[in-house]
Amino acid sequence: MAPRNIKLTIHYDGARFHGWASQPGKPTIQGELENALERLLCEAVDVTGSSRTDAGVSALGQVAHVKVDSPVPVENFARALNKLLPPDITIADAVEVDAGFDAISSTKSKLYRYSICTGPVRPVLDVNHCWHWPGSLDVAAMAAAAKSLLGKHDFKSFASAADKRSSSVRILMRCDVRREGDWIYIETQADGFLYNMVRNIVGTLVEVGRGRWTPDKVKEILEAHDRKEAGPIAPASGLCLMWIEY
């Protein structure tokens, strides 16, 4: 009998983890999931995640697939796994999908949210899930700058030098900047993201917001195709993968 293909929707607080991908001797999301599945199924299982989130990055909509031979009913998968996982990781949903579904290649788009707290007092209950930037940021200028990024572009200026993918062209469908009290939220949706792309975009928009650059500067940075032209990388703590569209 062919293995069953199970799609998992995963929530996690990334604060204490060294990212998604398994690393020897370090706690990772993939490592914890594979350990829990091995205990549940009594065999080693590979978990393929859609996004290889960095250390400190959280998720409310990570998606992975896993191929299993187990007869465990899919409706019991989430409950059984959650009993074996640490409290900062949970399976929100588990469904059996077509054998051709792949968490990576079947992806149509992803949305990330970045949270910035501009209040004068460190938000201790949220400090692992935001960038505390006490001060004034011009949200209107940031939103105007973000519009330059919409559409199909070569985002090489916003990719880490460690990103070795053959193409840095992506389609950015959404880049919204909004304020709620002391909080600023930046939401970016694209057909795919380069390594550190969102955090580099956020760092650049903050440079606009604090008045170092005008909104027009972002278009120049985009067209330069040079990471050195963009702003500093924003901290990982503020980033959360919200959902993935298939």
Side-chain angles (χ1 to χ4, degrees), residues 13-18 27 32 56 86-89:
D13 177 348
R16 73 176 183 90
F17 293 99
H18 289 259
E32 293 286 356
D88 39 9
I89 304 176

Side-chain angles (χ1 to χ4, degrees), residues 157-172:
S157 290
F158 298 96
S160 164
D163 195 310
K164 302 301 183 184
R165 276 171 278 198
S166 58
S167 173
S168 48
V169 174
R170 297 292 185 272
I171 300 173
L172 195 67

Side-chain angles (χ1 to χ4, degrees), residues 12-23 26-30 50-59 62 110 112 114 128-129 158-163 165 193-200 233-241:
Y12 51 85
D13 177 348
R16 73 176 183 90
F17 293 99
H18 289 259
W20 166 268
S22 294
Q23 299 179 51
K26 294 181 179 179
T28 67
I29 308 300
Q30 183 183 31
S50 178
S51 291
R52 292 169 64 91
T53 52
D54 291 339
V57 176
S58 298
Q62 172 72 285
K110 304 175 184 180
Y112 282 90
Y114 197 93
N128 290 326
H129 307 106
F158 298 96
S160 164
D163 195 310
R165 276 171 278 198
F193 291 92
L194 303 168
Y195 186 47
N196 288 339
M197 178 174 158
V198 178
R199 292 166 60 195
N200 289 330
I233 187 170
S237 57
L239 190 59
C240 184
L241 173 59

Side-chain angles (χ1 to χ4, degrees), residues 81-97:
L81 276 177
N82 286 335
K83 290 179 180 179
L84 300 171
L85 287 166
D88 39 9
I89 304 176
T90 193
I91 306 300
D93 190 38
V95 294
E96 191 162 349
V97 290

Side-chain angles (χ1 to χ4, degrees), residues 8 10 20 30 33-34 37 45-49 64-67:
L8 304 174
I10 310 151
W20 166 268
Q30 183 183 31
L33 287 168
E34 290 179 348
L37 281 161
V45 177
D46 293 327
V47 176
T48 301
H65 76 262
V66 56
K67 299 201 173 177

Side-chain angles (χ1 to χ4, degrees), residues 12-242:
Y12 51 85
D13 177 348
R16 73 176 183 90
F17 293 99
H18 289 259
W20 166 268
S22 294
Q23 299 179 51
K26 294 181 179 179
T28 67
I29 308 300
Q30 183 183 31
E32 293 286 356
L33 287 168
E34 290 179 348
N35 288 341
L37 281 161
E38 185 171 359
R39 291 170 64 191
L40 177 66
L41 305 174
C42 300
E43 63 175 333
V45 177
D46 293 327
V47 176
T48 301
S50 178
S51 291
R52 292 169 64 91
T53 52
D54 291 339
V57 176
S58 298
L60 291 175
Q62 172 72 285
V63 174
H65 76 262
V66 56
K67 299 201 173 177
V68 302
D69 291 316
S70 169
V72 174
V74 70
E75 57 269 22
N76 296 340
F77 245 80
R79 183 169 63 251
L81 276 177
N82 286 335
K83 290 179 180 179
L84 300 171
L85 287 166
D88 39 9
I89 304 176
T90 193
I91 306 300
D93 190 38
V95 294
E96 191 162 349
V97 290
D98 185 88
F101 175 85
D102 184 282
I104 299 174
S105 62
S106 299
T107 298
K108 292 183 179 178
S109 72
K110 304 175 184 180
L111 184 133
Y112 282 90
R113 175 182 294 166
Y114 197 93
S115 303
I116 303 171
C117 177
T118 62
V121 179
R122 184 185 301 119
V124 293
L125 297 183
D126 297 301
V127 74
N128 290 326
H129 307 106
C130 72
W131 179 4
H132 183 220
W133 202 97
S136 177
L137 291 174
D138 185 338
V139 171
M142 294 168 69
K147 289 180 180 178
S148 300
L149 301 173
L150 296 176
K152 186 176 183 179
H153 302 287
D154 184 337
F155 284 93
K156 189 174 180 62
S157 290
F158 298 96
S160 164
D163 195 310
K164 302 301 183 184
R165 276 171 278 198
S166 58
S167 173
S168 48
V169 174
R170 297 292 185 272
I171 300 173
L172 195 67
M173 308 155 184
R174 177 176 169 188
C175 191
D176 298 334
V177 185
R178 73 178 194 277
R179 181 191 297 279
E180 294 182 10
D182 288 336
W183 290 82
I184 295 173
Y185 300 101
I186 300 172
E187 294 188 341
T188 53
Q189 179 187 357
D191 61 345
F193 291 92
L194 303 168
Y195 186 47
N196 288 339
M197 178 174 158
V198 178
R199 292 166 60 195
N200 289 330
I201 286 174
V202 170
T204 301
L205 293 179
V206 166
E207 294 299 282
V208 173
R210 72 186 186 94
R212 180 188 173 197
W213 291 328
T214 65
D216 291 342
K217 177 68 174 178
V218 172
K219 185 176 181 181
E220 294 177 21
I221 294 169
L222 184 67
E223 293 173 350
H225 303 158
D226 185 347
R227 172 66 188 97
K228 293 191 292 293
E229 296 297 313
I233 187 170
S237 57
L239 190 59
C240 184
L241 173 59
M242 301 301 292

